[in-house]
Amino acid sequence: MVRISGIDLPNSKRIEYALTSVYGIGLTTSRSILAVADIDPSKRTNVLGDTEVMALREVIEENYKVEEDLRRQTKQNIVRLSQINCVKGRRHRQNLPVRGQRTRTNSRTRRGARLM
């Protein structure tokens, strides 16, 4: 079992898709990590050797902010916006959509279910 940044990667998936289970790594980032680490993207996770796993870990730890560090940074950004009392911060505090979406008829996910 391959463990990167505290996350167990799925064994049966191709490594390029398995890496996307780590918070902060999408498909494009996964492919660039594999290119830097010189690993074939079509390999399955359970076929990787120890040297390849170590290469992946090193590339991710040196060049990318993932999992808890990224979550902490995102949370700090939201708190900062809220403290300076900008529009985005106020929208976060009120649990309303932040990026200019319509709220008259949509945004049920953000505002919550209608009470009858």
Side-chain angles (χ1 to χ4, degrees), residues 3-115:
R3 190 171 181 85
I4 295 178
S5 297
I7 301 297
D8 294 330
L9 299 183
N11 274 333
S12 59
K13 283 189 176 181
R14 289 173 47 163
I15 188 65
E16 67 178 335
Y17 296 111
L19 279 176
T20 60
S21 62
V22 176
Y23 182 79
I25 297 179
L27 192 55
T28 305
T29 308
S30 170
R31 289 179 178 154
S32 66
I33 289 170
L34 291 172
V36 170
D38 196 32
I39 297 173
D40 181 25
S42 63
K43 271 191 173 180
R44 299 282 172 176
T45 307
N46 54 4
V47 179
L48 291 177
D50 292 336
T51 56
E52 293 171 325
V53 173
M54 289 302 294
L56 276 176
R57 281 192 190 126
E58 288 174 9
V59 170
I60 291 172
E61 288 173 3
E62 290 174 6
N63 303 325
Y64 297 95
K65 196 174 267 195
V66 292
E67 280 302 322
E68 203 53 43
D69 294 335
L70 184 59
R71 292 179 203 267
R72 189 178 307 112
Q73 181 184 6
T74 306
K75 189 139 189 103
Q76 286 173 348
N77 289 342
I78 293 171
V79 167
R80 180 184 53 81
L81 289 172
S82 185
Q83 286 176 345
I84 65 174
N85 205 23
C86 68
V87 173
K88 284 178 119 180
R90 280 187 268 144
R91 302 291 284 184
H92 273 292
R93 277 194 309 235
Q94 295 171 345
N95 282 335
L96 291 171
V98 176
R99 298 179 179 175
Q101 296 93 331
R102 176 187 178 92
T103 58
R104 183 173 179 175
T105 57
N106 296 331
S107 78
R108 278 288 149 216
T109 303
R110 188 74 175 160
R111 293 190 309 169
R114 253 189 341 186
L115 299 174

